[in-house]
Amino acid sequence: QVQLVESGGGLVQAGGSLRLSCAASGSIFRSNTMGWYRQAPGKQRELVAAITSGGSTNYADSVKGRFTISRDNAKNTVYLQMNSLKPEDTAVYYCNADILSPYSDPYDYWGQGTQVTVSS
């Protein structure tokens, strides 16, 4: 059993910053790729950023240069530093992690989501 707990969402003015955190806990042998997705009302869930266990990163074009993903492997935690926020960044942000538990195949876990609202 693995749980992902997110924190750090909230309301911010355009141009501001927020930092999201997601901590994985439970029966974890290794965390592989971890990432953040977002879903705005009426839109499909989309990848925002992802990071491998080795530190390779991937970003959506819309956030490149503004958002930075990082992770602490010892804490099984992934972070998303969001700068220069825009109203179009408003969405529910979900943490995602591919986790290998003892005696199991890797499994894709999701957090409960955290609301990010950027006012103009």
Side-chain angles (χ1 to χ4, degrees):
Q1 194 83 4
V2 173
Q3 298 82 37
L4 301 183
V5 178
E6 301 146 342
S7 60
L11 173 64
V12 65
Q13 288 189 332
S17 298
L18 284 174
R19 188 189 194 215
L20 305 183
S21 299
C22 172
S25 63
S27 181
I28 300 171
F29 177 74
R30 184 180 66 242
S31 298
N32 298 319
T33 298
M34 303 181 79
W36 292 92
Y37 288 71
R38 67 185 181 187
Q39 188 167 20
K43 294 188 176 182
Q44 289 189 329
R45 190 174 297 190
E46 62 175 359
L47 174 69
V48 177
I51 184 168
T52 67
S53 57
S56 297
T57 58
N58 180 40
Y59 294 94
D61 288 342
S62 59
V63 307
K64 283 180 181 177
R66 300 188 297 122
F67 291 10
T68 301
I69 190 170
S70 61
R71 63 187 288 168
D72 184 333
N73 288 332
K75 296 181 178 179
N76 291 308
T77 299
V78 63
Y79 307 95
L80 186 68
Q81 178 65 45
M82 305 185 292
N83 299 328
S84 303
L85 282 160
K86 304 176 181 179
E88 50 263 45
D89 294 319
T90 295
V92 178
Y93 284 69
Y94 296 91
C95 176
N96 172 264
D98 179 52
I99 290 177
L100 178 63
S101 297
Y103 313 113
S104 298
D105 293 327
Y107 189 82
D108 216 31
Y109 291 90
W110 291 90
Q112 79 283 0
T114 185
Q115 178 70 46
V116 171
T117 303
V118 184
S119 63
S120 57

